[in-house]
């Protein structure tokens, strides 16, 4: 069964550095999402992406964040200048939109980002 | 706007006892509901989902949930828990009305004691 994959599984970085988190969505999916979970807290929506542009973003997704689909398979989340409070688990999800049917997201295993 | 409320932040229970984790939702559009389990330092694992049809949904690891539209609830149950069920459980609703993003509850920590 196809799965969403994410790399790396754990990323450690210094405050102020740029990081890029990578996701490979399920191949025929067209909607892509990033979520964040700070340790001990709930999973929060960051951004959704469709047709090569952001379709919705939360207030968490400020100018330090950007997303990109650089090729036909990857979907990336970039944090330009990391802060300590960016330390969290980041989940990618993808979905295949089917008109008139139930649409369900599939989540990746997550990338744990630690900012020192 | 859609939202999810998990009524208990922690639920301690003895091994082999039954458990119910409560979840209430609010939604103005079609409702699609999910329960996820998260073991320490791991990702989200889908336990079960309600998309349509029968209101009693069976999932993995012996869990089941009942969709109750009049009560706007989707409580998770297991008749007999094991130590290995100790984990964080998240109820979630899919925002089918716009963007299709998933909205999560705050989570319930199930702690199974020997």
């Amino acid at each position: 069964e196809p799965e969403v994959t994410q790399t790396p599984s754990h990323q450690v970085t210094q405050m102020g550095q740029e990081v890029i988190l990578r996701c490979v969505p399920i191949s025929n999916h067209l909607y892509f999402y990033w979520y964040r979970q700070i340790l001990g807290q709930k999973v929060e929506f960051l951004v959704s992406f469709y047709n090569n542009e952001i379709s919705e973003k939360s207030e968490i997704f400020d100018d330090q964040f950007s997303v990109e689909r650089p090729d036909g398979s990857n979907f990336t989340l970039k944090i330009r200048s990391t802060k300590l409070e960016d330390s969290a688990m980041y989940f990618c999800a993808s979905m295949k939109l089917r008109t008139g049917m139930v649409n369900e997201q599939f989540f990746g295993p997550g990338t744990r980002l630690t900012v020192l | 706007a859609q939202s999810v409320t998990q009524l208990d932040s922690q639920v301690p229970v003895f091994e082999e006892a039954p458990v119910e984790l409560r979840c209430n939702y609010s939604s103005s559009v079609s409702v699609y509901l999910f329960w996820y389990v998260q073991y320490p330092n791991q990702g989200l694992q889908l336990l079960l989902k309600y998309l349509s049809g029968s209101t009693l949904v069976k999932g993995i690891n012996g869990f089941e949930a009942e969709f109750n539209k009049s009560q706007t609830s989707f409580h998770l149950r297991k008749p007999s828990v094991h130590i290995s069920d100790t984990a964080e459980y998240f109820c979630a609703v899919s925002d089918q009305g716009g963007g299709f993003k998933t909205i999560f509850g705050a989570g319930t920590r199930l702690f199974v004691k020997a």
Side-chain angles (χ1 to χ4, degrees), chain B residues 60-100:
Chain B
I60 61 171
N61 301 342
F63 283 93
E64 63 180 33
E66 184 156 18
F67 170 61
N68 187 321
K69 189 174 181 179
S70 62
Q71 302 282 334
T72 61
S73 68
F74 190 55
H75 300 333
L76 181 70
R77 301 185 182 99
K78 186 170 182 177
S80 174
V81 295
H82 301 129
I83 297 283
S84 59
D85 292 322
T86 294
E88 190 85 19
Y89 291 79
F90 292 96
C91 182
V93 62
S94 176
D95 181 13
Q96 298 284 315
F100 304 100

Side-chain angles (χ1 to χ4, degrees), chain A residues 33 35 37 56 103-105, chain B residues 38 96 99-102:
Chain A
Y33 305 81
Y35 295 81
Q37 183 186 31
E56 186 178 356
N103 293 289
E104 179 188 346
Q105 291 179 10
Chain B
Q38 186 177 39
Q96 298 284 315
F100 304 100
K101 65 180 180 288
T102 302

Side-chain angles (χ1 to χ4, degrees), chain B residues 6-21:
Chain B
Q6 291 185 245
L7 297 159
D8 307 293
S9 59
Q10 293 186 63
V11 174
V13 63
F14 285 103
E15 194 174 20
E16 297 183 10
V19 71
E20 178 179 82
L21 306 184

Side-chain angles (χ1 to χ4, degrees), chain A residues 43-98:
Chain A
V43 180
E44 302 171 290
F45 167 75
L46 286 178
V47 65
S48 59
F49 189 86
Y50 170 70
N51 200 26
N52 278 321
E53 62 182 25
I54 291 173
S55 48
E56 186 178 356
K57 61 182 181 179
S58 72
E59 58 189 28
I60 302 169
F61 194 87
D62 61 22
D63 293 343
Q64 293 295 320
F65 292 91
S66 62
V67 289
E68 192 179 27
R69 188 151 163 85
D71 52 42
S73 60
N74 288 284
F75 178 53
T76 62
L77 174 69
K78 182 191 292 186
I79 309 175
R80 187 149 36 102
S81 177
T82 50
K83 307 182 186 72
L84 294 176
E85 54 264 35
D86 293 328
S87 293
M89 182 79 99
Y90 289 81
F91 293 103
C92 173
S94 71
M95 183 185 76
K96 179 182 180 181
L97 181 63
R98 299 175 295 174

